[in-house]
Amino acid sequence: MTADQYSDRPDNAARRDGRRSAASTGHFHTLKSAGLIFSGVALSLTGVFAVVEYSARQSRAMVDADIRTVTARLDTQQEAITGLGDRVGRLEASVDNRFARVDQRFDKIDERFEKIEERFEKLETKFESKFERLETKFDSKFERLETKVDQKLDSITELLIQLVDQKANTPAASGAGATKRPR
């Protein structure tokens, strides 16, 4: 049995006869209007919610696409940065290698200069010893020459003194023989 079949309802008999009472007709229209309004609001809300959900799906899809794009760009940037890091590492190794070669060359040059300095020291020692020997030899020869010159001068001086003494002792020195001698 349904609620409209109960006998205690006052307009049950009138309804069976096809008549409606004035009180139930107003109430029925109010309920019908309220139901239509409620249905319209529910339908509108459903439409709004559908639009919001569609918009959210579209927004999510756009956001997801943007996130994928940003992620791809970040991955690309990360690869580029890693590539740059590798290039910088290779460049650093290359520069270190070149500086090591330059240092080796400077070491070789330093070794050559040390050898040259050693040669100069040897030559200097040789020249000093040769110079000292030459100086000693020169001094000794000079002394001998000086001695010889002194001896020659002494002998010449003695000869001159003897000649002067002889002239002074000879009779021609008085003046007579001096005119006959060619000058």
Side-chain angles (χ1 to χ4, degrees):
M1 183 174 217
T2 61
D4 59 345
Q5 293 174 348
Y6 286 120
S7 60
D8 57 345
R9 197 166 164 201
D11 56 337
N12 231 354
R15 214 182 259 176
R16 270 185 247 140
D17 294 338
R19 305 177 279 133
R20 291 192 177 168
S21 67
S24 72
T25 313
H27 183 54
F28 179 71
H29 286 292
T30 305
L31 284 176
K32 190 175 180 182
S33 296
L36 283 174
I37 291 172
F38 180 72
S39 297
V41 169
L43 187 63
S44 296
L45 285 175
T46 303
V48 168
F49 285 130
V51 168
V52 168
E53 185 177 341
Y54 177 75
S55 176
R57 282 185 191 164
Q58 290 296 328
S59 295
R60 266 192 217 127
M62 288 173 44
V63 167
D64 288 344
D66 289 343
I67 288 174
R68 283 191 298 272
T69 304
V70 168
T71 303
R73 285 183 182 172
L74 286 175
D75 290 342
T76 305
Q77 292 296 322
Q78 181 66 30
E79 289 173 7
I81 289 171
T82 303
L84 284 175
D86 293 343
R87 288 176 68 188
V88 166
R90 288 193 307 265
L91 178 65
E92 185 178 336
S94 174
V95 168
D96 288 345
N97 188 18
R98 288 181 183 181
F99 274 118
R101 282 192 265 153
V102 167
D103 285 342
Q104 288 174 350
R105 288 181 181 168
F106 278 131
D107 290 342
K108 287 180 182 178
I109 289 171
D110 288 342
E111 288 174 10
R112 288 178 183 164
F113 275 121
E114 287 175 6
K115 287 179 182 178
I116 290 171
E117 285 178 7
E118 288 174 6
R119 288 179 185 166
F120 276 133
E121 287 175 3
K122 287 178 183 178
L123 283 174
E124 185 178 353
T125 306
K126 260 185 182 178
F127 282 130
E128 283 177 358
S129 65
K130 283 187 179 185
F131 182 73
E132 287 174 3
R133 282 185 293 184
L134 283 174
E135 187 178 18
T136 305
K137 195 174 182 180
F138 178 76
D139 285 344
S140 68
K141 285 192 178 193
F142 186 73
E143 284 177 11
R144 276 189 276 158
L145 182 65
E146 188 178 16
T147 305
K148 283 183 180 180
V149 167
D150 284 345
Q151 288 173 355
K152 292 284 182 184
L153 283 176
D154 286 343
S155 67
I156 290 174
T157 306
E158 284 179 25
L159 277 175
L160 283 175
I161 290 174
Q162 285 176 2
L163 282 174
V164 169
D165 283 344
Q166 282 178 0
K167 266 216 177 219
N169 291 337
T170 61
S174 59
T179 55
K180 293 183 184 176
R181 205 193 279 170
R183 290 190 185 193

